[in-house]
Amino acid sequence: MTRNQTTMKEQLLIDHGYKYLWFIVLGAFLLVLILPFFKSVDLSVGALGLLLSALAEVLTTFFQHKHITFIISLVLGWLLALIISVILFFYIMWASGNMVFVK
């Protein structure tokens, strides 16, 4: 790898965009946490989709900052975002009252 080679961060996401994308992820995360209590499952799942795509991009860029190769950082970013989204999906179902956990 040469020193003049650009990283994915420099090619796709400028520093301002990276910072603003963190705010979008935080806002979508708060929406996912709050909306199920108003029994709006459709909006919650939509916010979860936004969170999944934004979180995957942020995590992929984060791993790219740590000098992990592009393919590995892409797989790690999407895998972690998918795991977080699945956990939050079950939270949405539980908090909206559509799923009851019984013994």
Side-chain angles (χ1 to χ4, degrees), residues 25-79:
V25 167
L26 182 62
F29 185 72
L30 290 175
L31 278 175
V32 167
L33 291 179
I34 293 170
L35 282 176
F37 290 108
F38 295 109
K39 308 296 184 216
S40 58
V41 176
D42 296 334
L43 289 175
S44 300
V45 173
L48 186 63
L50 172 69
L51 178 68
L52 172 65
S53 62
L55 188 61
E57 177 67 30
V58 167
L59 288 174
T60 302
T61 305
F62 172 76
F63 289 130
Q64 193 70 28
H65 278 168
K66 301 298 179 187
H67 303 292
I68 298 176
T69 60
F70 171 70
I71 298 297
I72 295 173
S73 65
L74 188 68
V75 169
L76 280 176
W78 274 98
L79 187 64

